[in-house]
Amino acid sequence: MNSIVIGSGFGGIAAALRLKAKGHQVTLVEKHPDLGGRARVFKKNGFTFDGGPTVITAPYLINELFDLFKKDPKDYIELTPLKIWYQFIFEDKTKFNYSGNEAEMESQIQKINMVDVKGYERLVNFTKKIFDKGFTELADVPFDKPFVMMKQLPALLKLKSYKSVYSLVSSYIQSEKLRRMLSMHPLLVGGNPFSTTSIYGLILYLEKKWGIHYSMGGTGNIIKGYEKLMNEVGIKILKESEVTKIISKNNKISGVQINNQINIDTDNVICNADPPAVYEKLLGQNKNDSILFNWKKNRMEYSMGLFVYYFGTKKIYENVEHHTIKFGNKYKEHLDDIFDKKKLNEDISYYLHRPTATDKSMAPEGNDCFYVLVPVPNNQSKINWDIEGEKMKKLVIDKMEKDLMPNLSENIIEDFYLTPDYFEKDLNTKYGSGFSIQPKFTQSAYFRFHNKSEVYDGLYFVGAGTHPGAGVPGVLSSAKVLDKII
């Protein structure tokens, strides 16, 4: 069996390795000169900046791809657990160190609101039930038939899937500070906590199950380790090779065209690309999509965009943890602006990544390395990032200077930023969304783009836009679905 995988993010690489382990002849096609997709690496004057995912959970999903070929992951990558998972900073400058140490968690919760200690325990117990069903049982189940979804509906309703994550958390927690902190997880996969189905509350327990890890040398080192493995097991890798057309006849996939000139025959095409881009750009010459499928595709709502500012400093900020999340004064109003009104707001929340807190190799000696990620509207907003990009950069620097990094502006020696335009143009995501479609209940499982195309025989999807969703555990699990359908 001959299979072509388009895109070299975590999902694409995992799909290529799993198919190779099943005996397929596999070719991985990547349009950029380097592998990784959202997990690409940018190197600037001695600084190493991870392009994308930096919160590593469920490390077994990363390791088992090496296990498929009886290889020891430690020969390729080094994952280290973090003691403090996130430091949350609230608008009143109070801090909360979020970790797997339950005694410390409950002690900090007690200082905010005594009553919420019991509520927190009950919330964690409930998210374990969601995790057992939504992740352990269903993450790698193909949801390509309506009856599969119907069969699960009673259990999903029992788990209050009709509630939002924020609503679920609020039913256990009184403090608004704690509600924000314990409901923020949908933002890690592109969802609004006020509209994302409570099934995604499983992320809270997922973190507790295996902890949060960091890849020494950066997330890019996991990609590098996988590339070494792919070369060893005989997966053909084509870089700087953009698939410009998927060839089909009578809705049966027969090949791909690369760089508008080279045709390669294949039995299967597995796309780690955003599903709308595949259907609209790579298969757009075909007009025989079903009316029902077109309705489904056109009704999809997309995740927020991301403004990501990468910077290196000549000063070392020892007081900044590896992962910091800073909430703005307003929470729901800010998220409404991003997801619904599609407008910018100066009262931003942000996630700050400082890999040098754990790994000094990410910056030249005596320097510090960061990126800050700000949720912003996707490109349905029509925001002109050529103008707004510099304004957002200045706003972010000003906020960080006031919040936790004194004199930041005069200590920055290397920087650049990415906007939703990068995600739309370079990564081919619809509207420049950071995480493909939103993780609402009506866009989950059967209601997402299917792992096995509803329209074309021989076309498959892995990655953020298909089941089970975005995030490293999600996209790696989407590749496991392929084991059951190819």
Side-chain angles (χ1 to χ4, degrees), residues 11 16-17 61 64 118 194 258 277 283 313 329 382 415 442:
L17 287 165
L61 287 168
E64 67 183 13
K118 283 291 180 194
F194 290 90
I258 294 176
L283 287 156
T313 62
N329 189 32
K382 309 296 185 190
D415 74 335
T442 53

Side-chain angles (χ1 to χ4, degrees), residues 43-49 214 217 311-316 354-357 359-370 413:
K43 290 185 180 286
K44 303 275 185 182
N45 294 326
F47 292 95
T48 301
F49 299 106
Y214 169 76
F311 62 102
T313 62
K314 61 186 178 182
K315 174 182 176 180
I316 294 178
R354 179 184 172 233
T356 32
D359 182 0
K360 300 299 182 191
S361 74
M362 301 294 280
E365 188 174 351
N367 295 154
D368 229 346
C369 179
F370 303 86
I413 55 173

Side-chain angles (χ1 to χ4, degrees), residues 218-281:
T219 308
N221 266 12
I222 302 177
I223 301 298
K224 195 183 294 182
Y226 281 152
E227 183 173 5
K228 180 184 175 188
L229 176 63
M230 287 190 290
N231 284 324
E232 289 173 354
V233 302
I235 292 172
K236 187 176 182 181
I237 301 172
L238 302 179
K239 299 179 184 177
E240 295 187 274
S241 301
E242 182 172 8
V243 173
T244 46
K245 183 179 180 182
I246 296 175
I247 303 163
S248 68
K249 185 176 182 181
N250 298 325
N251 283 18
K252 172 73 178 82
I253 300 300
S254 59
V256 299
Q257 186 177 83
I258 294 176
N259 296 336
N260 291 312
Q261 53 189 4
I262 304 167
N263 286 7
I264 302 177
D265 295 335
T266 187
D267 300 296
N268 302 305
V269 171
I270 296 91
C271 298
N272 187 205
D274 202 25
V278 173
Y279 283 113
E280 293 168 11
K281 296 179 181 179

Side-chain angles (χ1 to χ4, degrees), residues 32-66:
H32 292 108
D34 53 344
L35 303 186
R38 285 177 173 82
R40 296 172 71 194
V41 172
F42 305 103
K43 290 185 180 286
K44 303 275 185 182
N45 294 326
F47 292 95
T48 301
F49 299 106
D50 274 323
T54 50
V55 178
I56 303 297
T57 55
Y60 81 93
L61 287 168
I62 291 170
N63 291 334
E64 67 183 13
L65 294 173
F66 296 101

